[in-house]
């Protein structure tokens, strides 16, 4: 790729037709099936969906960290125009933590309990050769201060269990940023935290995105979080993207019945006292082979076509795609909202 | 709790266990049928002589008084006399204990040094050839009878290949021409310290087979324990996190994950160590190793009960000490065992 002429045109990350499977004794689970999206430099990209919809697998696949026996069976992952799928394991190790970092849902589980915070963060900096000797500590302390962690000198000597959940997640973010990576994959970074701490961590992520020009791939099941922080969003259902586009567009005019259902299920102060709406049925196990649209069994608009043919993403508005036959023939016009 | 406090607490607990064992051996010694005085003098002793010996050994004193005397003399290193060797038991142990300890320490060391890396590699190559082979071998290792395994190795390495000696701690001509000067009683250490390399080589060749036989069980156990806890640790989020941070696989396995996984292995090895001291009996007999095992067997066959009590006591002390050591190593590895330091920051 000629970086000199078209830097701005090449997205930071381009995932193209990604397919991840997990073989199980009862059959092949298609965790991610034909997912494509792009993340621009310095943008916050939201990935939403229920548990098991493939959003975490997508995040891990980008770093090629799918736990065996699961594996990536197709697609391309272009980072700054380079295909990560073609890199050797050793080259991948230089990408991980250096160009692309990751933070996890439960910071208490993501920090090794037997090593001090200082040992853990300096190991990463040493590994990627960004600092040596005393500079390691200084850099860590600076970063802690920037992330709003108090008493940074003592903090380096602390073990993870001595910190609160919010501090642990800040430490994880510090570990992700200590080598100045360009993309942060944040896998449900606030799900395990208290509500008050959740907003602090989100504010912190937004601030880092703005100040450092950091691109963030925010994986979450919380639509509210995406609405508040992201520019673009992809809605996952059973390993597929059913709707994607600009947040303002997708949330104001949801086109896919699943997205419509999700948004309708949010508590609404104006309907105080009335029961919450819900999507009928439940997510089928990924083992069940569903011909056609995966959402069809739960969809109130489903037709015969939906049960037989898999819908493709089609343009349903300005910077807005949805995979639904309601729009296939006549993009931009649907049969109304739920 | 500070590290010093933790140490004191564990030490106090060890003393408590020791006192319990003293009490049990004392009670058992008074409950077993048979008159110690008669054992001491033989079946044809006169009633006067028996009364005299009872008087001298304090066998007519009230039991609490006897117990206090027993504890006091034990603490001074007086473990009584062996009926059979007619020597103070402590003198016998000075020769026998190092022989067994040399064997047990070497075999446990071998088990840890080989077993832990094999377990780690097995976990990281789960289900692959290396893992399968090591699983089959370790199942064989924990189930093989020690004496049969010992005989087999003797057959191969002594009779067929002629590479290694059949038994004993050193060859007779070495004993005559290059005697090992007794310092610690550990031949390999004593020979090395005095620069007696000819004897060192000979002693090393002699200890090789019995150490391997004795190491078979703990080694297999170390492999299986390490593999099992490694498999668990490798599925932890912090291992995925370490991979996502770009750390090398070797660093993840042997520096990060192993520190988490080795704690259960150490616990088991602490227990097996004490078990090996008494479990060495068969191995010592097959290899005519002059250690605690043969001493104990002779004592059992000759109803030399004070030797048995003394051995029980010594093994208990070693057991307490080794487990204390394991506790301390674990506390050093895992900050959460030293509870309360700082707490929530």
């Amino acid at each position: 790729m000629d970086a000199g002429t078209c830097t701005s045109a090449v997205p930071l990350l381009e995932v193209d037709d990604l397919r991840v499977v997990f073989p199980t004794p009862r059959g092949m689970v298609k965790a991610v099936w034909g997912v494509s999206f792009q993340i621009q430099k310095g943008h916050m990209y939201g990935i939403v969906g229920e548990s098991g919809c493939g959003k975490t697998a997508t995040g891990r696949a980008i770093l090629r960290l799918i736990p065996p026996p699961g594996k990536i069976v197709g697609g391309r992952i272009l980072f700054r125009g380079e295909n990560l799928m073609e890199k050797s394991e050793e080259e991948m190790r230089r990408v991980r933590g250096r160009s692309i970092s990751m933070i996890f849902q439960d910071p208490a589980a993501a920090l090794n309990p037997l090593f001090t915070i200082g040992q853990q963060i300096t190991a990463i900096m040493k590994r990627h050769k960004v600092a040596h000797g005393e500079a390691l500590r200084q850099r860590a302390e600076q970063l802690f201060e920037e992330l709003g962690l108090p008493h940074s000198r003592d903090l380096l000597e602390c073990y993870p269990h001595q910190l609160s959940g919010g501090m642990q997640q800040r430490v994880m973010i510090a570990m992700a940023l200590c080598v100045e990576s360009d993309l942060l994959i944040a896998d449900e970074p606030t799900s395990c935290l208290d509500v008050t701490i959740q907003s602090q961590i989100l504010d912190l992520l937004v601030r880092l995105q703005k100040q450092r020009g950091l691109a963030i791939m925010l994986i979450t099941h919380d639509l509210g979080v995406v609405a508040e922080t992201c520019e673009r969003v992809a809605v996952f259902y059973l390993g597929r993207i059913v709707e994607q586009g600009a947040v303002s567009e997708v949330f104001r005019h949801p086109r896919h019945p699943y997205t419509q259902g999700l948004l309708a299920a949010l508590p609404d102060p104006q309907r105080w006292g009335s029961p919450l709406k819900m999507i009928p049925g439940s997510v089928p196990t990924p083992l069940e082979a569903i011909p056609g649209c995966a959402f069809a069994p739960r969809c109130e608009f489903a037709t015969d076509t939906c049960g037989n043919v898999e819908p493709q993403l089609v343009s349903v508005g300005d910077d807005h795609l949805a995979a639904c036959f309601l729009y296939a023939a006549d993009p931009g016009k649907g049969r109304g909202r739920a | 709790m500070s590290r010093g406090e933790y140490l004191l607490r564990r030490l106090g607990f060890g003393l408590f266990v020791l006192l319990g064992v003293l009490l049990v051996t004392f009670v058992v010694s008074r409950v077993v049928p048979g008159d110690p005085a008669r054992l001491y003098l033989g079946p044809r002793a006169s009633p006067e002589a028996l009364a005299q010996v009872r008087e001298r050994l304090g066998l007519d004193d009230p039991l609490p008084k006897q117990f206090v005397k027993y504890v006091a003399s034990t603490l001074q290193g007086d473990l009584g006399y062996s009926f059979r060797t007619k020597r103070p038991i402590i003198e016998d142990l000075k020769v026998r204990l190092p022989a067994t300890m040399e064997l047990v320490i070497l075999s446990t060391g071998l088990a840890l040094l080989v077993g832990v890396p094999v377990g780690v590699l097995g976990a990281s190559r789960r289900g692959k050839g290396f893992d399968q082979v090591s699983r089959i071998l370790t199942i064989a290792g924990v189930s093989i009878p020690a004496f049969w395994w010992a005989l087999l190795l003797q057959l191969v390495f002594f009779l067929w290949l002629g590479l290694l000696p059949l038994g004993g701690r050193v060859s007779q001509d070495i004993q005559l021409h290059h005697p090992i000067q007794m310092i610690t009683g550990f031949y390999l250490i004593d020979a090395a310290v005095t620069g007696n390399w000819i004897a060192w080589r000979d002693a090393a060749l002699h200890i090789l087979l019995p150490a391997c036989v004795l190491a078979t069980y703990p080694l297999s156990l170390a492999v299986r324990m390490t593999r099992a806890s490694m498999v668990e640790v490798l599925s932890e989020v912090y291992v995925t996190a370490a991979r996502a941070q770009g750390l090398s696989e070797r660093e993840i396995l042997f520096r990060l994950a192993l520190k988490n996984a080795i704690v259960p292995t150490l616990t088991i090895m602490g227990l097996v160590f004490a078990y090996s001291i008494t479990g060495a009996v068969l191995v010592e007999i097959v290899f005519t190793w002059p250690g605690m095992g043969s001493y104990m067997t002779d004592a059992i066959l000759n109803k030399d009960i004070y030797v048995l009590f003394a051995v029980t006591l010594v093994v208990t002390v070693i057991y307490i000490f080794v487990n204390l050591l394991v506790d301390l190593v674990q506390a050093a590895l895992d900050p959460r065992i030293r509870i309360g330091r700082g707490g929530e920051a």
Side-chain angles (χ1 to χ4, degrees):
Chain A
M1 181 65 60
D2 189 352
T5 53
C6 53
T7 320
S8 53
V10 176
L12 183 66
L13 179 80
E14 185 177 355
V15 173
D16 184 21
D17 197 25
L18 180 68
R19 285 160 202 262
V20 178
V21 297
F22 288 90
T24 70
R26 285 166 51 227
M28 196 68 90
V29 172
K30 295 172 178 171
V32 180
W33 206 245
V35 160
S36 306
F37 60 94
Q38 299 180 350
I39 300 180
Q40 303 296 333
K41 193 174 184 314
H43 276 218
M44 180 101 75
Y45 194 96
I47 299 233
V48 286
E50 296 167 72
S51 318
C53 69
K55 49 192 201 304
T56 294
T58 303
R60 293 199 176 179
I62 291 168
L63 285 173
R64 296 223 334 246
L65 283 175
I66 296 293
K71 59 175 185 247
I72 305 170
V73 289
R76 294 188 310 161
I77 299 163
L78 301 176
F79 182 74
R80 289 208 208 95
E82 288 180 54
N83 191 352
L84 298 185
M85 296 299 298
E86 286 165 0
K87 287 193 180 287
S88 71
E89 188 56 25
E90 188 51 44
E91 287 169 328
M92 257 333 270
R93 271 200 277 277
R94 281 196 287 275
V95 172
R96 294 181 195 136
R98 163 116 229 169
S99 308
I100 308 176
S101 303
M102 189 161 182
I103 59 174
F104 298 82
Q105 182 167 359
D106 182 2
L111 288 163
N112 193 320
L114 304 193
F115 292 86
T116 62
I117 303 302
Q119 286 169 331
Q120 302 194 40
I121 193 166
T122 51
I124 303 168
M125 291 192 270
K126 273 188 212 157
R127 158 72 189 145
H128 296 292
K129 301 192 176 66
V130 290
H132 300 280
E134 188 50 33
L136 287 169
R137 291 181 68 92
Q138 283 171 4
R139 201 183 161 98
E141 282 164 16
Q142 249 173 14
L143 202 53
F144 287 164
E145 208 149 310
E146 186 189 334
L147 299 183
L149 283 160
H151 318 300
S152 45
R153 193 164 283 275
D154 301 335
L155 193 61
L156 288 172
E157 311 301 330
C158 277
Y159 286 93
H161 72 275
Q162 294 170 303
L163 308 181
S164 66
M167 286 176 81
Q168 287 171 341
Q169 196 58 292
R170 279 171 207 262
V171 166
M172 281 307 293
I173 295 172
M175 287 165 74
L177 297 182
C178 66
V179 277
E180 315 251 334
S181 47
D182 302 309
L183 174 65
L184 176 69
I185 300 172
D187 187 358
E188 306 241 10
T190 57
S191 302
C192 278
L193 304 175
D194 292 341
V195 183
T196 48
I197 309 294
Q198 282 185 9
S199 62
Q200 289 178 15
I201 295 292
L202 283 173
D203 289 347
L204 178 64
L205 288 177
V206 172
R207 202 184 87 207
L208 291 168
Q209 179 217 353
K210 300 252 163 19
Q211 285 177 357
R212 289 177 166 242
L214 179 71
I216 299 178
M217 173 174 156
L218 184 68
I219 300 170
T220 179
H221 59 256
D222 191 334
L223 295 167
V225 165
V226 173
E228 255 175 68
T229 56
C230 299
E231 280 99 12
R232 301 177 59 78
V233 62
V235 181
F236 274 57
Y237 187 78
L238 271 182
R240 294 157 184 87
I241 293 180
V242 293
E243 185 157 7
Q244 75 187 117
V247 166
S248 53
E249 178 64 23
V250 172
F251 282 15
R252 211 166 296 152
H253 310 292
R255 298 296 185 177
H256 197 282
Y258 177 62
T259 319
Q260 291 171 352
L262 282 183
L263 287 166
L266 288 178
D268 183 352
Q270 289 173 5
R271 285 188 281 123
W272 192 259
S274 61
L276 291 173
K277 289 202 175 170
M278 50 189 262
I279 302 173
S282 57
V283 185
T285 74
L287 280 167
E288 290 171 33
I290 301 168
C293 175
F295 189 63
R298 303 172 70 188
C299 180
E300 54 182 309
F301 308 112
T303 62
D304 288 347
T305 324
C306 301
N308 296 317
V309 187
E310 196 172 335
Q312 301 300 313
L313 282 167
V314 291
S315 175
V316 290
D318 192 17
D319 192 10
H320 190 172
L321 302 172
C324 182
F325 288 115
L326 292 175
Y327 313 102
D330 187 9
K333 255 174 78 181
R335 254 200 280 165
R337 291 155 58 183
Chain B
M1 185 174 7
S2 73
R3 209 171 284 203
E5 252 175 87
Y6 182 77
L7 176 69
L8 277 180
R9 240 172 71 145
R10 301 302 307 171
L11 219 60
F13 186 68
L15 281 178
F16 188 71
V17 174
L18 185 62
L19 202 68
V21 170
L22 277 168
L23 187 64
V24 169
T25 49
F26 176 77
V27 169
V28 170
S29 74
R30 303 302 130 145
V31 168
V32 286
D35 182 354
R38 200 173 280 283
L39 268 174
Y40 189 71
L41 291 174
R44 263 176 289 214
S46 66
E48 293 79 26
L50 283 173
Q52 218 177 358
V53 167
R54 280 203 194 98
E55 169 91 47
R56 191 152 59 92
L57 296 178
L59 294 172
D60 294 327
D61 291 340
L63 283 179
K65 192 180 170 193
Q66 285 190 40
F67 180 64
V68 172
K69 272 170 77 178
Y70 170 66
V71 171
S73 60
T74 303
L75 290 182
Q76 285 163 14
D78 176 11
L79 298 173
Y81 273 81
S82 161
F83 296 141
R84 194 176 54 85
T85 63
K86 303 281 183 224
R87 294 188 338 137
I89 295 171
I90 190 87
E91 292 303 317
D92 288 337
L93 287 182
K94 274 182 192 164
V95 185
R96 301 292 190 137
L97 191 58
T100 295
M101 289 308 282
E102 187 169 34
L103 200 54
V104 173
I105 290 174
L106 201 68
S107 63
T108 311
L110 195 70
L112 277 174
L113 237 56
V114 178
V116 170
V118 169
V120 170
L121 291 178
S124 79
R125 294 163 172 57
R126 188 142 65 115
K128 306 248 174 71
F130 179 87
D131 187 33
Q132 303 287 14
V133 170
S134 93
R135 275 167 85 173
I136 293 166
L137 288 182
T138 52
I139 289 173
V142 289
S143 37
I144 203 168
F147 71 93
W148 183 83
W149 179 223
L151 291 172
L152 189 76
L153 287 180
Q154 280 181 335
L155 188 71
V156 173
F157 288 96
F158 172 72
L159 203 63
W160 291 353
L161 300 175
L163 288 175
L164 295 171
L166 186 62
R169 287 185 84 184
V170 281
S171 312
Q172 238 151 26
D173 58 317
I174 294 287
Q175 243 164 352
L176 288 173
H177 302 296
H178 304 277
I180 296 173
Q181 195 190 334
M182 279 304 135
I183 302 169
T184 59
F186 291 73
Y187 279 11
L188 289 177
I189 295 177
D190 292 349
V193 167
T194 53
N196 190 352
W197 295 110
I198 298 172
W200 190 89
R201 186 173 173 278
D202 187 68
L205 289 178
H206 275 81
I207 206 169
L208 200 57
L209 281 190
C212 283
V213 172
L214 204 57
T216 303
Y217 181 74
L219 194 152
S220 308
L221 215 55
V223 171
R224 297 191 71 82
M225 284 303 295
T226 309
R227 182 192 176 277
S229 50
M230 258 323 249
V231 164
E232 211 170 295
V233 169
L234 288 179
S235 70
E236 294 281 353
V237 180
Y238 57 76
V239 171
T240 308
R243 292 203 175 109
Q245 288 153 358
L247 300 184
S248 73
E249 201 58 25
R250 189 202 300 201
E251 187 174 9
I252 289 170
L253 285 181
F254 286 97
R255 199 175 74 86
L256 304 179
L258 183 57
K259 194 175 178 186
N260 294 272
I262 203 163
V263 170
T265 308
L266 288 179
T267 309
I268 289 285
M269 293 311 270
L271 297 173
V272 169
F273 185 88
Y275 177 81
S276 287
I277 298 171
T278 45
V281 175
L282 284 174
V283 177
E284 288 187 2
I285 290 172
V286 175
F287 287 101
T288 53
W289 193 264
M292 297 282 279
S294 43
Y295 189 52
M296 221 157 43
T297 323
D298 288 341
I300 292 169
L301 294 176
N302 291 292
K303 288 191 192 153
D304 201 349
I305 52 169
Y306 289 105
V307 169
L308 291 177
F309 294 142
V311 170
T312 308
L313 207 62
V314 168
V315 173
T316 308
V317 172
I318 294 172
Y319 180 85
I320 292 171
F321 177 75
V322 168
N323 282 288
L324 183 71
L325 205 68
V326 169
D327 280 347
L328 293 179
V329 170
Q330 285 179 348
L333 285 176
D334 190 343
R336 290 165 303 179
I337 292 178
R338 317 187 292 264
I339 331 147
R341 198 193 124 200
E344 290 276 313

